[in-house]
Amino acid sequence: MEDILQMKDKNIVVMGVANKRSLAWGVARSLYKAGANIIFTYRKERSYTKLQKLLEEEAMQAEAVVQCDVNNDESIQEAFAKIGEQTGVIHGVCHSIAFAHAEDLKGDFIETSRDGFAFAQDTSAYSLVAVAKASRPYMTEGGSMIAMSYLGAERVVKGYNVMGVAKASLEAAVRYLAEDMGQHQVRVNAISAGAVRTLAAKGVPSFNEILNKIEETSPLRKNVTQEEVGDMTLAMMSHLSRGVTGEIVYVDSGYNILG
């Protein structure tokens, strides 16, 4: 059969695997099945250990595993220089990284601290810009960048607070980056994933209510899975979506279309 995805032996960087429930892990699995070479980045030693264990459990071969702290420009530059040196060319980056302080998700949004606001923006939105800049010199054959967003970027989701504002910023960054990176034939899109039980989701106080509501009211009457998000990310990174950039693609059982 003709290889319609054209992902075989493409070098894809996956950022943000915290554990086996992470959306980034779902993405890595889908890409790996399609024949891509996966390069993982991790922030702390703890996530490195977890990642190694996951790779062993799934018998997945990583092309490389590189330390990268997205709150630090030097760390980002070093990580991508190392990846570029090892692979020669980067064909894609999946940025699945977001963080806000727990105290900024607990109370009312109006109580967000200045530091907490800045930190959420830096980690969840600016990091995509910094990663695009660091990876661009190695994306010499064109390619695709994908960020992970959520409906809280454009609607009020109780308890999502400062994270919603950071995701709105991320989605705007996707559009501006799509314009900048387009001249290098690099496409930049975001997946707005429905609620999936991840480590990050645990921090949102109303999470169980959200899951129940989606199951009862979304057009497909079900919550989405990590696999569904992974497969759509694969499709958006593949040859099939070569004409698409600057888009926010919803993988949420249609929940976002409801009034």
Side-chain angles (χ1 to χ4, degrees), residues 115-142:
D115 279 355
F117 188 93
F119 185 69
Q121 288 284 342
D122 186 62
T123 313
S124 316
Y126 180 72
S127 62
L128 180 70
V129 183
V131 163
K133 189 179 177 183
S135 59
R136 189 174 65 181
Y138 307 103
M139 295 185 84
T140 49
E141 297 177 4

Side-chain angles (χ1 to χ4, degrees), residues 232-247:
M232 190 61 197
T233 306
L234 165 63
M236 289 302 295
M237 285 193 134
S238 79
H239 184 68
L240 294 178
S241 63
R242 61 197 178 279
V244 183
T245 194
E247 293 295 335

